[in-house]
Amino acid sequence: MNISKFLTLTFIILLLEAAMIMAETNPPGILVQETPNEGISGGSVIAFGKIIEPPYYITTVDDKVLINGIVFFPREKPPVASESMIKVSTLDTHKYNIIKSLKNRYLDYYTKHDQEIIQELLQNEFLKYPVVSSLKIVGNDIRLEFSDGDYELMDLTSYLTAGQEKVKQETELKRQLNDEAANVASCLTDNGMISFGYKYTTYIPENIADSIKDIIDKLSSAEMDSATAVDMLMKISGRREFIDDITLNHIQ
């Protein structure tokens, strides 16, 4: 592993360590049907190379599946270490962000309210921006006027189609959430192992899971050198990302 990759992974692990300590003690969300109130005591979980101790609480919150408060599905993107994340926002960028936000907000409202109420809700939210001078729903259009005289005319019919597609996507996401939660619960109930990182998810049966835990224990206690551990883990899992996560967390 080269130095830059090692430093990047170290940065990511430090962020995860803090989040995991908080999440394990107070897992947020609603327990899925397959998880008893006392959690699942069997199986084992390795999240980003870190062993998570049982019991395991599989929960859902904000369209995500979590294991002991750690996001399992859909997988989040890795944090990016940057010297500066401050960007100067131009007027055009500000307008673009307002238009994008307005479209999303309209899609949130269109199945819940009539057009008059939607217009009032949108006006209450978007007229507070100094760059916005007027917002009206006229027929099948939203007319958004800016204080510099510029305006945006948005065809509502296209958003209705997009809204219907959004409902389909949300239904499919809920199905995926239920499937992923059920798979996790089934694996742990059968005393299997779940190992996951930013780019991988591996379900491991009990007999192989015991071998992996034995290697990790020996690596952590320096009874096994890293080269031997990497070779053995590669033969068992075949996942380079998994092995990098393990070695970064457990090499003494």
Side-chain angles (χ1 to χ4, degrees):
M1 188 185 305
N2 60 45
I3 296 298
S4 62
K5 185 175 181 181
F6 178 82
L7 292 175
T8 300
L9 287 173
T10 302
F11 171 78
I12 293 171
I13 292 300
L14 289 174
L15 293 179
L16 288 170
E17 288 277 349
M20 287 178 181
I21 291 173
M22 295 180 64
E24 289 173 32
T25 56
N26 186 27
I30 302 172
L31 283 174
V32 300
Q33 185 176 358
E34 295 83 0
T35 303
N37 291 334
E38 65 274 15
I40 299 175
S41 58
S44 52
V45 174
I46 301 179
F48 307 96
K50 182 179 184 298
I51 296 177
I52 308 301
E53 299 296 336
Y56 301 113
Y57 297 91
I58 307 166
T59 59
T60 58
V61 59
D62 295 334
D63 295 327
K64 297 177 183 178
V65 175
L66 293 77
I67 304 176
N68 286 21
I70 304 165
V71 176
F72 175 76
F73 177 87
R75 203 63 41 78
E76 296 181 333
K77 294 181 180 179
V80 177
S82 174
E83 293 181 1
S84 174
M85 299 187 69
I86 301 175
K87 296 182 179 180
V88 177
S89 178
T90 65
L91 178 59
D92 285 342
T93 301
H94 191 31
K95 290 179 182 177
Y96 170 81
N97 290 333
I98 289 174
I99 292 169
K100 183 178 179 181
S101 179
L102 175 59
K103 291 177 180 179
N104 290 332
R105 187 67 71 225
Y106 177 80
L107 291 177
D108 289 339
Y109 290 151
Y110 93 99
T111 58
K112 303 172 184 176
H113 308 287
D114 60 34
Q115 295 289 68
E116 184 177 348
I117 298 298
I118 292 176
Q119 175 176 281
E120 182 180 349
L121 291 170
L122 294 177
Q123 288 174 338
N124 289 340
E125 180 170 353
F126 290 94
L127 288 180
K128 67 183 180 182
Y129 295 108
V131 297
V132 177
S133 61
S134 175
L135 188 160
K136 294 180 180 179
I137 297 179
V138 182
N140 292 325
D141 299 316
I142 295 179
R143 183 179 176 88
L144 179 67
E145 296 182 2
F146 296 101
S147 55
D148 63 355
D150 192 11
Y151 71 92
E152 183 77 13
L153 195 62
M154 293 171 273
D155 181 8
L156 294 180
T157 57
S158 64
Y159 300 145
L160 292 178
T161 302
Q164 293 166 352
E165 183 61 29
K166 182 180 179 181
V167 171
K168 291 181 182 178
Q169 292 174 353
E170 289 174 347
T171 301
E172 175 61 18
L173 177 59
K174 288 180 181 179
R175 185 194 65 78
Q176 291 179 336
L177 291 174
N178 291 334
D179 288 348
E180 291 291 341
N183 290 338
V184 170
S186 176
C187 179
L188 295 177
T189 301
D190 292 339
N191 289 317
M193 172 185 286
I194 300 169
S195 176
F196 63 95
Y198 287 115
K199 296 182 179 179
Y200 66 91
T201 300
T202 307
Y203 291 90
I204 303 167
E206 181 180 5
N207 59 324
I208 299 177
D210 289 340
S211 298
I212 291 177
K213 286 189 287 186
D214 183 59
I215 294 171
I216 292 174
D217 288 342
K218 291 180 179 179
L219 182 64
S220 298
S221 63
E223 293 180 41
M224 180 182 294
D225 63 88
S226 61
T228 301
V230 167
D231 182 62
M232 293 180 68
L233 289 171
M234 182 61 76
K235 290 178 180 178
I236 293 174
S237 72
R239 298 303 299 265
R240 184 74 239 184
E241 301 93 341
F242 165 64
I243 296 169
D244 286 345
D245 284 348
I246 290 294
T247 53
L248 182 62
N249 274 276
H250 297 282
I251 289 179
Q252 294 294 315

